């Protein structure tokens, strides 16, 4: 088994502006890792959705801290997001999309995460939320 | 966040000059567009050529604009980048909007900031 290699470590405050700042140059920051363009785009979307949910549900007063760690394996990017906000169990979320006919203005976040990421796993440990998932590096549609 | 307004025949074209339409700017975007659509013109075409990234909050704001316009003034979308197009497909919102490959040529109305 090949070893995982850490390719990014970000710690940011739990606000929407800080997430935006942390993720807006993701493609430039990962440029040295020769990842398929589609994979970086999917990664950016999944991380944005996951971290936005953390801010909205876990750190509504903007005082939380979010740590994001990305590792590269031969066939995937493994993502670990740790935050010290309120406990948030996502097991029941995102298994079906909102209907477009209802003209939904939200509720897509976890559906997008489950569509694009695999091995999604959540646990609460030591007063923190730990969310892990994997972005497969197959040829993306 | 900046948008510009243009006219193409009957249509009002709103061009979004922002690379990233995410949760941090979604409300500002919606407020600016709400003001912009006081300008007459139908359909309203949202030109997203400069937008490289939209998240579900940005998408929600676009849907919100559609609802503000009501049934008699359709909202259409133009110039989706590959990743933005994928988000529309994934959420099936590509079935809700008429999507153009590119926005029509416009005469400038004004810029909003």
């Amino acid at each position: 088994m090949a070893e995982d290699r850490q390719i990014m470590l970000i710690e940011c405050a739990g606000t929407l502006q800080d997430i935006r700042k942390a993720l807006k140059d993701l493609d430039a920051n990962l440029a040295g890792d020769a990842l398929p363009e589609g994979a970086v785009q999917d990664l950016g979307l999944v991380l944005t959705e996951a971290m936005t949910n953390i801010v909205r549900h876990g750190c509504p007063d903007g005082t939380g801290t979010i740590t994001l760690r990305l590792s590269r394996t031969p066939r995937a990017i493994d993502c670990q997001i740790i935050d010290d906000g309120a406990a948030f169990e996502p097991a029941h979320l995102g298994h079906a999309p909102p209907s477009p006919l209802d003209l939904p203005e939200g509720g897509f976040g976890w559906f997008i995460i489950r569509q694009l990421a695999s091995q999604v796993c959540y646990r609460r440990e030591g007063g923190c939320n730990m969310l892990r998932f994997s972005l497969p590096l197959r040829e993306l549609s | 966040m900046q948008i510009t307004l243009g006219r193409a025949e009957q249509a009002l074209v709103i061009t979004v000059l922002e690379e990233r339409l995410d949760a941090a700017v979604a409300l500002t975007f919606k407020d600016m567009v709400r003001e912009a659509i006081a300008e007459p013109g139908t359909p309203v075409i949202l030109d997203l050529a400069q937008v490289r990234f939209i998240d579900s909050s940005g998408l929600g704001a676009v849907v919100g604009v559609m609802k503000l316009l009501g049934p008699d003034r359709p909202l259409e979308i133009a110039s989706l980048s590959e990743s933005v197009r994928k988000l529309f497909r994934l959420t099936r919102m590509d079935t809700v909007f008429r999507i153009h490959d590119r926005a029509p040529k416009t005469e400038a109305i004004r810029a909003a900031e």
Side-chain angles (χ1 to χ4, degrees):
Chain A
M1 182 91 87
E3 280 182 29
D4 294 3
R5 182 168 55 86
Q6 182 170 304
I7 54 176
M8 186 177 279
L9 178 64
I10 291 175
E11 191 176 291
C12 77
T15 75
L16 295 178
Q17 284 298 341
D18 284 277
I19 295 174
R20 176 181 170 87
K21 218 182 308 170
L23 295 179
K24 79 178 162 52
D25 296 321
L26 190 70
D27 50 352
N29 294 335
L30 294 175
D33 290 284
L35 298 166
E37 191 185 347
V40 177
Q41 289 168 351
D42 286 358
L43 178 67
L45 182 56
V46 173
L47 294 177
T48 302
E49 298 297 344
M51 292 168 78
T52 299
N53 275 335
I54 289 170
V55 169
R56 289 219 170 112
H57 303 290
C59 317
D61 55 357
T63 57
T65 302
I66 303 174
T67 306
L68 166 66
R69 185 177 288 124
L70 303 182
S71 316
R72 171 84 192 259
T73 69
R75 292 203 177 86
I77 301 169
D78 286 342
C79 309
Q80 182 184 57
I81 306 175
I82 300 175
D83 71 86
D84 56 4
F88 185 75
E89 168 58 70
H92 60 293
L93 294 171
H95 296 285
S99 167
L101 295 176
D102 297 337
L103 301 182
E105 292 182 55
F108 284 116
W110 267 94
F111 175 71
I112 290 169
I113 295 168
R114 291 195 195 281
Q115 286 291 302
L116 298 177
S118 58
Q119 294 164 286
V120 178
C121 155
Y122 166 85
R123 68 174 199 273
R124 181 81 180 170
E125 195 176 286
C128 288
N129 298 301
M130 295 185 64
L131 180 64
R132 299 184 75 134
F133 49 82
S134 188
L135 253 287
L137 289 176
R138 56 183 144 68
E139 219 25 67
L140 295 139
S141 59
Chain B
M1 168 71 68
Q2 197 187 352
I3 61 177
T4 61
L5 304 187
R7 189 164 317 283
E9 296 182 5
Q10 303 305 308
L12 173 66
V13 180
I14 301 176
T15 303
V16 183
L17 302 176
E18 172 66 59
E19 282 199 2
R20 191 177 160 92
L21 193 49
D22 62 13
V25 299
L27 280 180
T28 308
F29 164 80
K30 197 172 158 186
D31 287 345
M32 290 183 73
V33 174
R34 188 202 310 269
E35 207 167 297
I37 59 179
E39 192 74 34
T42 187
V44 175
I45 301 176
L46 202 55
D47 179 357
L48 298 179
Q50 308 292 319
V51 180
R52 293 176 53 225
F53 178 88
I54 300 186
D55 69 358
S56 66
S57 306
L59 181 65
V62 173
V63 174
V65 169
M66 180 191 224
K67 290 185 186 167
L68 287 174
L69 285 166
D72 298 329
R73 212 176 163 204
L75 178 66
E76 303 180 356
I77 314 279
S79 300
L80 298 186
S81 74
E82 194 44 52
S83 62
V84 173
R85 188 177 288 271
K86 182 171 180 177
L87 175 71
F88 274 76
R89 213 164 43 221
L90 195 63
T91 55
R92 295 190 292 155
M93 296 310 289
D94 58 345
T95 61
V96 169
F97 295 100
R98 182 164 178 209
I99 297 175
H100 304 273
D101 283 345
R102 60 185 64 83
K105 270 199 182 325
T106 59
E107 285 171 38
I109 301 177
R110 65 187 164 84
E113 209 167 337

